[in-house]
Amino acid sequence: MVVGDISTGTDVLVIGAGPGGYVAAIRAAQHGLDTTLVERDAYGGVCLNYGCIPSKALITGAGLAHEAGNAEHMGIHADPAVDMEGLGGWKDDVVDQLTGGVEKLCKANGVNLVEGEASFADENTVRVAHGGDGQGSESIEFEHAIVATGSQPIELPGFDFTDEEVWTSRDALAADTIPDRLVVVGAGYIGMELATVFAKLGTDVTVVEMLDDALPMYESDVARVVRKRAKDLGIEFQFGEGASEWQESPDGGIQVVTETEDGVESTYAADKVLVAVGRRPVTEGVGLEAAGIETDDNGFIEVDDRMRTNRDHVFAIGDVAGEPMLAHVASHEGIVASEVIAGEPAAMDAQAVPAAVFTDPEVATVGMTEAEAEEEGFEPVVGEMPFRASGRALTADHTDGFVRIVADEETGLVLGGQIVGPEASELIAEVSLAVEMGATLEDVGSTIHTHPTLAEAVMEAAENAQGQAIHTLNR
Amino acid sequence: MSTKEFKLPDVGEGVAEGELVSWLVEPGDAVSEDQPVAEVETDKALVEVPSPYNGTVKQLYVEEGEMVPVGDVIISFELDDGDDDDGDETVEAAVEPDDTEMEAAEPETEPEPAAEPEPAGVESTDGETADVETPEGRVFAPPSARRIARELGVDIAAVSGSGPGGRITETDVREHAEATASVEPEPTPTTEVETRDAETRDAETRDAATGEARTAEAATPTGVEPAGRDNTLAVPATRRIAREEGVDIDDVPTDLTRDGEPFVTEQQVREYARALEAAVEAEAAAEPTAGTDTADAGVETATPTPGEPGTAQRPEETVPYRGVRRTIGEQMEESKYTAPHVTHHDTVEVSALADARERLKPRAEEQGVSLTYLPFVMKAVVKGLKEYPILNSQLREEDEEIALKKYYNVGIAVATDAGLMVPVVENVDEKGLFELSREVHDLASRARERKLDLEEMRGGTFTITNFGAIGGEYATPIINYPETAILGLGAIEKRPVVEDDEVVARPTLPLSLTIDHRVIDGAEAAAFTNTVMSSLNEPLLLLE
C-alpha cells in the first residue's frame, strides 16, 4: 500500500486527454455521467502539444518567411530573417491557449481532471500514480473506461531518441535553432511536413526513404506534385535507401548511414537527423492485461464499431485503437464511445474519413481513389480541375496541383476525392460531406460556389466528371 | 471461386416483400441451378425461390419467418466454376417492367399486393430511379439516416434507397423498419434521453395514482419473474439505482437490447424493485388478489403504456399483422377509402331454384360434380351484368373513363385459414352449370391449401361473396377494388314469405349488393338486383 493511497469511484474513466480522450470525457459528462479524465503529461495530448498544432504553427511561420522572400515576381522585395526563438515563442503561446482551453472546457462540463499515470489494477479499477516524490497514488473504481493513450514515434534501430542529434517530430517542433543540415528519415506525412518547414527556414534537407516516392501512401500523380515542389525548395530525395545508423563526423556534424536493399551504403552529412518512420500505440504501463483487454499483432487495442474492446465495459479510441491514426478520427471515436456508454445508438460508421498533409502544396483525400473504387466493384468516373485554371489559385500565386473527384458512373454518387494544391486541407471538407451524405456529382456541380475561390475547383471537377465542365476541357 | 449474392426476386406480381417461410438449404449445401432454396410467402401464394447457380450455399442472410423486401440479399453462393468476373457481385432476378402501363397502374384482384405505400421511385420497375446495385460494403446514406437505422435496429445495408442514385433517406429506413417489424414488436430502443422523458412522464402519471394503485399494478406476477441473465448492459446511473434498491441488475426483466445484449433502464430497475416489494406484500396479505378495490383506481389513473417494458399490462395476445392478413387489410382500406360504398339489400324466394338443383343433382353426381347453388347465382349475375354493364366495370380516374368489361370473370371469395382468397372463374358466360361447379370446387379447395397461383386471383370483373355458407342474412360487402360491385349471398333458409296475403315458409336467399357510387347509381343497383332475383326466382329464365 502506497502512502496516501485514496480510492474514489466514477461512472466513466478516460485515460489520456488527447483529442480523443478529452472529447470523450466532455461528451460523457454532457450525458450526466460522472466522468474522470486522467492525463500523465499535458492536456490536449500529442496533437495539441507536440503534433498537429505546433507543426501547423511552424508551417505557417516558415511559409510566411519563405513567401515574403520569394515574391520579386510580384514586385515585392524582402529578405526576412527568422528568429527561431520568436517563432517558437509564438507557437508555444498558441499551444498554451489551446491546451488551457481544453482544461477549461473539461472543468466547465464537470469532468474531474486527475493528473498522473493510470494503469489498470483489475477490470474495474485503475491506479493513478502521481508524479513527484511522496505524491502517492490513488485508486479509481469505474463502471466504464475509455482507453485513449495515443501513440508514440517508432524507434529505428541505430537511432536512439535520447541522443541529442536524433530528433523525433516532437524534438523538431521544439527546436530553438535552425540546423544548417538536416537528414529526414521517412518521407511519410510527418517527414515531408517537417522537411518542408526546415527547407523554407533555410536548412539543407535530405530526405531518405526506403520506398521509391515521397508520400508513398498517396497516388503517384498526387505525390509527384509535392515531390516536385519539394525539389524546387532544395530538398534532396534519396529513395530506396533505409537509414541504418548515424555517426559523429570529424568535422563536428554527424553522418547518417543508409543502405539499399542490395547493401550499397551511402552517407549523408547533417547536423541533426529526424526519424519519422511512423507511430505505434502506447499500451505499455497501461496494465491492459490486468483488465483482460486484448490487443492485435501490432499492439493496437481491438475494438468493434462501438469502440468496445473485448471487455464490454472498456472502450478504446484514437491512435491506440488502430488506423487511421488521425486526431479527428480520435475525436469522433471518443464521441461514439461516450454515447454508447450513455445508451445512445451511436456507432463508428463514417464513410468519409478525410486526411490531410500540410506539405507545400497541401494534400488532402477522402473516400476512394479511382483504383479503390474499381476494386470495390464500381465503374468509377473521374473529374479533375487543375489549379492553374483557377482564377483564385493564380491570384494566390499557388497554381500547383489539382482537384480530383471520383464517382460511380452509373449513379453519379460521389465516392471520394483527392486534392493536392493550396488549402487542400480545407477544400476536402466539401468532398467529405458529399461522400458522407451520398451526394451525386450533380449535387456538387450544381451547388453555387463563391467566385473567385479555390472551392470552385471542386465544383468544376464534379462538372468535369459529368462532361459538363466550363473552364477545363471535358474528357 | 467467386461469391455471388442473390436478392429476393420480384416474383412477378409487383410484390414488395415476402415472408421467408422456410429455408430448403443450409450453408455448405451444394445446389444446382433452379433447385429451390427457399419458400417465400407473398401475399397469396407460397413461392419457391430457385437457385440461379450451380455452387455451394455460403451464407443465409435472413431468418425463417422474417419479412424480406424484394431486392434484399437473402443468400450467397460460392461458385466453383471459373466465372469470368472474379469480383463478388449481387444478382437480382431480372425485373420485367410491365409493358401495359394500365395494368401496372392498377392493383389487380383482391388481395393483390398493393405493395407498401412506397415513396415514388423505390420500385425498381419504374425505371426512374432503378434499384441501384451498389457493390458490397458501400452503403449510401447520410449519418442521420444511419443513426435512425441503429435506433430502429435496422441493418442499413438491407434498406433500399429512394434518393438520387439509390441514396437512403430517413424515410426509407423507417419504412424498412415497419416492413420488417417482427412478430412480437420489440420496443424500439430509444435514446436514453427519450427514454428518460418517457419514464418521467410515466412516473408522474403513476405518482398521481395512489400508493395502493402502484401495488396493484406491480403485483402482476409477470413483473416479478427474475430474468436471471448472465450479462446485462446498463448505464452507470442505472447500476447505481439497482444497488440502492438492492436489486440484481441481471434479474430485471427487459426486452430492450443494445448491440444484441439485454439492456436495462433506470425505470425498469425501479419498476422491478416495486414489483418485488408488492409481491412480498401480496404474499403477506390473506386475499389472493391484493387490493382489488384500489386496483380499479390504479387502472383508471395510471395509464400503462403498451410496449413500455416494466409496465404492468392487461393480458393480451398479439397476432402478427403481416403477409396475407396485412394485404387483405390494405386492399380493404384502399377499397373502402377510395370507393363510396352503398349496399342494396333484397331477398329472393328460391323454391324453384331449390327444385331445379334437386333435379339436377343426381345427374351432376354421375359426372362427379357436387352441384351447389353458386353456379346458378353466377349465371344469374352474368345475365344481370349483360343487362347492366355498368356493374361489370372499372373506373380509371386518371384517364377520366369508365371501362365496361365485355367479359365476365367472376371472383368467388373463399374463407381459408390464411384469410380471404378470391379465385376468379373466367368467362362464366361461356360455361355450363356443372363446369362452373367443378371449377369453383377446384379453386376453393386449392385456395384453402394455399396452392393458387396469383394469376388465378387476377382479372376478375365482379365478385360474389357467399357468407351465407357460414350463416347470416345481410352484410355490407366491401368491393373487390378496382371492381365496382360485389354481391353478398346470405344463407338460403326457409323464412316467412307473404303469398296471397298469407305468411308461408319458403326458402329465400338474402342478397346484399355493394356498389361503387362514383360509377353506379342506386337505381342501377336495384335494377340489376331485380334481374338477378328474377333469374333465381325462376331459373328457367337463365335459358333466355
Side-chain angles (χ1 to χ4, degrees), chain B residues 300-442:
Chain B
E300 278 173 41
T301 39
T303 48
T305 325
E308 170 90 13
T311 306
Q313 289 177 30
R314 292 176 177 151
E316 61 175 33
E317 180 191 358
T318 56
V319 175
Y321 181 59
R322 289 194 338 205
V324 175
R325 185 69 261 158
R326 196 173 67 193
T327 309
I328 294 170
E330 283 165 359
Q331 279 288 119
M332 294 299 174
E333 187 179 19
E334 181 180 29
S335 177
K336 189 77 187 179
Y337 292 123
T338 309
H341 281 51
V342 170
T343 309
H344 174 89
H345 299 287
D346 211 332
T347 305
V348 53
E349 195 273 341
V350 288
S351 302
L353 180 66
D355 292 346
R357 173 168 165 261
E358 284 305 317
R359 284 207 299 276
L360 286 173
K361 240 181 159 176
R363 189 173 292 221
E365 272 160 19
E366 281 169 25
Q367 298 187 24
V369 176
S370 155
L371 185 64
T372 63
Y373 286 108
L374 197 52
F376 294 94
V377 179
M378 290 163 81
K379 296 301 272 186
V381 161
V382 168
K383 192 162 182 283
L385 292 176
K386 284 187 169 174
E387 213 164 311
Y388 299 96
I390 192 69
L391 280 95
N392 199 44
S393 66
Q394 180 189 342
L395 174 62
R396 295 173 184 159
E397 269 188 291
E398 282 179 14
D399 302 341
E400 299 180 333
E401 63 188 18
I402 297 166
L404 305 177
K405 309 279 172 93
K406 297 291 182 201
Y407 52 97
Y408 303 92
N409 295 352
V410 177
I412 305 296
V414 180
T416 73
D417 291 345
L420 192 63
M421 305 268 177
V422 188
V424 172
V425 182
E426 293 184 341
N427 305 318
V428 173
D429 56 325
E430 297 168 10
K431 291 173 180 168
L433 288 173
F434 292 1
E435 193 181 352
L436 289 174
S437 210
R438 199 178 292 121
E439 206 169 317
V440 168
H441 177 76
D442 168 61

Side-chain angles (χ1 to χ4, degrees), chain B residues 64-85:
Chain B
E64 292 184 350
E66 220 177 286
M67 294 302 292
V68 190
V70 165
D72 276 18
V73 173
I74 55 170
I75 186 171
S76 60
F77 302 93
E78 286 278 8
L79 273 54
D80 26 30
D81 53 359
D83 234 280
D84 291 359
D85 43 1

Side-chain angles (χ1 to χ4, degrees), chain B residues 122-193:
Chain B
V122 172
E123 285 201 279
S124 42
T125 40
D126 42 18
E128 217 180 290
T129 53
D131 190 8
V132 178
E133 298 218 357
T134 44
E136 219 182 332
R138 180 67 171 96
V139 175
F140 294 91
S144 51
R146 287 173 189 277
R147 181 184 183 84
I148 285 165
R150 286 194 298 270
E151 219 166 90
L152 300 176
V154 167
D155 173 10
I156 194 95
V159 181
S160 43
S162 65
R167 176 166 71 206
I168 294 166
T169 66
E170 291 180 25
T171 311
D172 296 336
V173 173
R174 290 190 191 284
E175 286 185 347
H176 183 90
E178 282 169 28
T180 54
S182 58
V183 182
E184 296 198 17
E186 282 196 22
T188 309
T190 49
T191 64
E192 182 69 8
V193 175

Side-chain angles (χ1 to χ4, degrees), chain B residues 10-84:
Chain B
D10 180 343
V11 276
E13 292 85 12
V15 170
E17 62 183 18
E19 179 178 344
L20 201 138
V21 177
S22 60
W23 283 111
L24 308 175
V25 291
E26 289 178 353
D29 286 2
V31 288
S32 52
E33 194 173 343
D34 291 333
Q35 176 188 335
V37 294
E39 284 185 324
V40 175
E41 181 186 275
T42 68
D43 305 292
K44 286 285 169 111
L46 203 55
V47 182
E48 286 187 337
V49 177
S51 164
Y53 309 112
N54 295 321
T56 313
V57 176
K58 187 179 177 189
Q59 194 180 346
L60 308 180
Y61 293 93
V62 177
E63 305 244 325
E64 292 184 350
E66 220 177 286
M67 294 302 292
V68 190
V70 165
D72 276 18
V73 173
I74 55 170
I75 186 171
S76 60
F77 302 93
E78 286 278 8
L79 273 54
D80 26 30
D81 53 359
D83 234 280
D84 291 359

